[in-house]
């Protein structure tokens, strides 16, 4: 029974707390880069870690605990569009360019704006590949999909990105350098 | 390109606010989830036992009259007498961290979606009979074909502020076209899926026309800004995901604060009745 897997010993609690302390900042950043809202990102991390708590004893013995948590987190955010509905401004990506530092290079600003225009699932792929530095296989595990899908999603995301970028910059960036 | 993307991502984090989440908070939420899981497991067993008893009683009577969905006895119940006792089969379903996955919205052109203005007008016309004593103010009725939230899939949003004697709450309906599966299949899929947020129970209502409603118990902290009740309606060609809130809908058009309510401004049956009006406006 699942309930029996919850931590019920001091060692489990300490281990869980230690893991949360070490990972929650990084997880929130991943969540934010996908959803574009710090509050939603924090909530998604909270939900993901609460789910981890339920399976902590078994999960903590797994080879790659981070992969499991990433998967729960990413699915929570990406699936959120069809799950309980949030009080939010639903159109656009909240971080679009508005808070960029004044000295931000023009090309980076353009890429930021273009990333903000991507659908959440494609943006998630880019976040995992190019921010987290995950391999195609690791990204597939985090997205709960296949390596082939990750490759095609990456290619599509880059294509979309190039379409959204100003023409000059799109030409400079060239093809996907996977 | 990858370097440029990485730099852009890092740059996006430059305004990172302080973390509100604490290790203690996460730990407490985990313990609450574990507690809810135990409670719902027990509730689920109770429902199964009650259902077995009810089935035996129906079989003993030798009549199908009481089984509303197949017999079609709930015609217009959600539209005309939402506050009355539903005659359709209503199941209390413990919904907790399932292993399934919600079906993705699937529609290329959104042709199944209702016209937002026509649907909103139909709701306003029907509101006095569906929810007597409540006032409706249309906040927005719009179609969005490029919503990042819906992965670029067309959707319609219709939002009302709903006034009661106590104050003003709100109803947010997000309508997604769905070509795949029957309403019952989509509802079952969503029920089997992992909930985004807390583990909360749902009440399922099967309508005679094959559409299905899922009403989740309200959840949150109980404060107006952090409490929501979700009611999903699955119809042919589309789903309506409705959220009920204890406070008015914050928008740029609303210039003054309105007093919140302490109970939801509409019942789930009333929301389903409104959803059916929206669906019928197509």
């Amino acid at each position: 029974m699942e309930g029996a897997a919850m931590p019920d010993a001091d060692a489990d609690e300490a281990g869980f707390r230690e893991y949360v302390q070490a990972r929650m900042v990084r997880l929130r950043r991943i969540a934010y880069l996908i959803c574009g809202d710090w509050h939603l990102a924090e909530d998604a991390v909270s939900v993901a870690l609460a789910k981890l708590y339920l399976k902590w004893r078994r999960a903590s013995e797994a080879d790659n605990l981070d992969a499991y948590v990433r998967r729960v987190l990413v699915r929570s955010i990406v699936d959120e569009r069809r799950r309980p509905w949030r009080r939010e401004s639903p159109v656009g990506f909240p971080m679009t360019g508005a808070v960029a530092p004044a000295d931000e290079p023009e090309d980076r600003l353009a890429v930021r704006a273009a990333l903000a225009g991507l659908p959440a699932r494609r943006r998630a792929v880019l976040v995992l590949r190019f921010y987290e530095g995950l391999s195609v296989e690791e990204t597939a595990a985090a997205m709960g999909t296949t390596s082939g899908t990750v490759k095609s999603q990456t290619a599509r995301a880059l294509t979309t990105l190039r379409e959204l970028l100003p023409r000059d910059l799109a030409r400079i960036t060239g093809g996907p350098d996977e | 390109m990858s370097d440029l993307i990485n730099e852009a991502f890092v740059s996006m984090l430059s305004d990172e606010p302080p973390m509100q989440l604490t290790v203690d908070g996460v730990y407490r939420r985990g313990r609450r989830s574990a507690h809810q899981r135990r409670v719902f497991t027990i509730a689920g067993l109770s429902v199964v036992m009650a259902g077995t008893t009810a089935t035996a009683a129906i079989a003993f009577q030798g009549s199908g009259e009481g089984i509303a969905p197949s017999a079609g006895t709930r015609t217009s119940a959600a539209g005309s007498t939402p506050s009355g006792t539903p005659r359709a089969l209503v199941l209390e379903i413990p919904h907790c961290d399932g292993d399934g996955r919600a079906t993705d919205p699937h529609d290329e052109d959104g042709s199944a979606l209702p016209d937002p203005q026509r649907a909103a007008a139909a709701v306003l016309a029907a509101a006095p009979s569906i929810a007597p004593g409540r006032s409706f103010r249309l906040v927005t009725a719009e179609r969005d074909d490029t919503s990042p939230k819906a992965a670029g899939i067309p959707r319609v949003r219709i939002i009302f502020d709903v006034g009661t004697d106590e104050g003003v709450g709100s109803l947010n309906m997000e309508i997604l076209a769905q070509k795949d599966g029957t309403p019952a299949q989509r509802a079952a899929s969503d029920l089997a899926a992992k909930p985004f947020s807390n583990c909360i129970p749902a009440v399922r209502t099967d309508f005679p026309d094959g559409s299905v409603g899922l009403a989740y118990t309200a959840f949150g902290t109980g404060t107006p800004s952090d409490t929501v009740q979700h009611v999903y309606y699955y119809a042919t060609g589309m789903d309506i995901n409705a959220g009920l809130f204890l406070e008015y809908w914050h928008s740029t058009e609303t210039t003054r604060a309105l007093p919140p309510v302490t109970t939801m401004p509409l019942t789930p049956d009333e929301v389903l009745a409104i959803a059916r009006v929206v669906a019928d406006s197509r």
Side-chain angles (χ1 to χ4, degrees):
Chain A
M1 186 174 158
E2 289 287 344
M6 81 180 75
D8 56 0
D10 290 347
D12 283 335
E13 179 183 337
F16 178 77
R17 284 176 176 274
E18 188 179 340
Y19 181 83
V20 170
Q21 181 72 55
R23 295 292 194 280
M24 63 182 182
V25 170
R26 182 78 179 179
L27 291 171
R28 189 177 72 147
R29 289 176 181 162
I30 295 171
Y32 171 73
L33 290 175
I34 298 173
C35 74
D37 182 308
W38 284 110
H39 295 293
L40 281 181
E42 201 156 305
D43 196 32
V45 171
S46 174
V47 169
L49 291 174
K51 286 183 177 176
L52 173 66
Y53 175 90
L54 295 172
K55 301 174 188 290
W56 175 249
R57 185 166 288 177
R58 201 185 321 158
S60 62
E61 293 169 358
D63 289 340
N64 196 339
L65 181 55
D66 288 341
Y68 170 78
V69 176
R70 267 198 304 262
R71 179 172 178 151
V72 174
L73 179 70
V74 171
R75 284 183 58 168
S76 291
I77 300 166
V78 173
D79 289 348
E80 193 257 357
R81 69 182 189 276
R82 295 209 9 87
R83 305 275 2 132
W85 294 73
R86 295 277 163 177
R87 200 70 181 275
E88 62 174 307
S89 173
V91 181
F93 200 51
M95 63 179 155
T96 310
V99 292
D103 58 350
E104 190 87 283
E106 198 173 332
D107 57 350
R108 195 183 298 158
L109 276 176
V111 175
R112 282 180 62 153
L115 286 169
L118 291 176
R121 189 175 290 276
R122 288 185 193 169
R123 195 165 50 243
V125 170
L126 295 188
V127 169
L128 295 172
R129 297 285 324 274
F130 300 127
Y131 174 71
E132 270 292 89
L134 300 186
S135 66
V136 169
E137 290 72 24
E138 290 168 330
T139 303
M143 299 286 295
T145 186
T146 64
S147 297
T149 301
V150 168
K151 287 177 185 173
S152 64
Q153 290 270 15
T154 305
R156 281 183 201 162
L158 291 173
T159 301
T160 308
L161 211 54
R162 233 172 273 116
E163 289 168 358
L164 293 172
L165 286 172
R167 188 166 296 177
D168 291 347
L169 185 57
R171 206 163 37 226
I172 292 169
T173 54
D177 46 2
E178 294 179 71
Chain B
M1 184 72 159
S2 58
D3 286 346
L4 208 52
I5 294 173
N6 178 269
E7 287 169 12
F9 280 139
V10 172
S11 148
M12 287 174 183
L13 299 169
S14 61
D15 65 335
E16 182 173 6
M19 179 81 105
Q20 302 295 316
L21 200 60
T22 63
V23 175
D24 279 342
V26 170
Y27 185 71
R28 280 197 301 271
R29 185 165 190 164
R31 286 183 64 86
R32 273 201 307 273
S33 297
H35 174 71
Q36 285 174 324
R37 171 173 285 194
R38 284 194 298 273
V39 168
F40 290 136
T41 300
I42 293 167
L45 289 172
S46 303
V47 168
V48 169
M49 290 174 68
T52 304
T53 307
T55 304
I58 290 168
F60 180 74
Q61 290 171 356
S63 166
E65 190 178 354
I67 306 173
S70 56
T73 53
R74 200 184 177 176
T75 47
S76 80
S80 58
T81 57
S83 300
T85 304
R87 295 177 63 195
L89 182 65
V90 177
L91 299 172
E92 184 83 21
I93 301 172
H95 179 49
C96 185
D97 205 17
D99 293 325
R101 184 165 191 180
T103 49
D104 284 335
H106 180 69
D107 184 81
E108 289 77 22
D109 60 7
S111 59
L113 293 174
D115 175 79
Q117 297 299 332
R118 193 190 316 150
V123 171
L124 288 172
S129 60
I130 292 175
R134 265 64 54 84
S135 62
F136 281 63
R137 184 185 79 86
L138 180 62
V139 176
T140 188
E142 62 185 10
R143 177 173 164 141
D144 178 9
D145 285 351
T146 57
S147 164
K149 183 176 178 181
I153 291 166
R155 66 167 176 166
V156 165
R157 302 179 73 223
I158 303 174
I159 301 171
F160 293 98
D161 279 343
V162 182
T164 72
D165 291 341
E166 185 185 17
V168 180
S170 52
L171 168 67
N172 171 26
M173 287 184 286
E174 306 209 20
I175 306 158
L176 294 166
Q178 282 279 20
K179 285 182 177 173
D180 293 342
T182 65
Q185 286 170 334
R186 278 181 262 127
S189 174
D190 272 6
L191 266 176
K194 290 181 177 178
F196 174 74
S197 194
N198 297 334
C199 178
I200 47 177
V203 175
R204 170 172 171 159
T205 303
D206 287 86
F207 293 94
D209 61 5
S211 59
V212 177
L214 289 181
Y216 290 81
T217 305
F219 70 93
T221 62
T223 58
S225 62
D226 189 28
T227 302
V228 62
Q229 181 165 19
H230 299 110
V231 180
Y232 293 176
Y233 179 67
Y234 305 84
T236 302
M238 67 171 207
D239 296 346
I240 298 179
N241 298 348
L244 273 173
F245 299 94
L246 293 172
E247 61 179 359
Y248 71 99
W249 190 265
H250 295 264
S251 69
T252 52
E253 292 78 29
T254 310
T255 55
R256 63 189 179 87
L258 301 169
V261 291
T262 54
T263 57
M264 289 299 171
L266 298 165
T267 67
D269 274 351
E270 288 168 345
V271 174
L272 287 174
I274 290 169
R276 289 169 67 78
V277 169
V278 170
D280 290 345
S281 75
R282 292 179 292 175

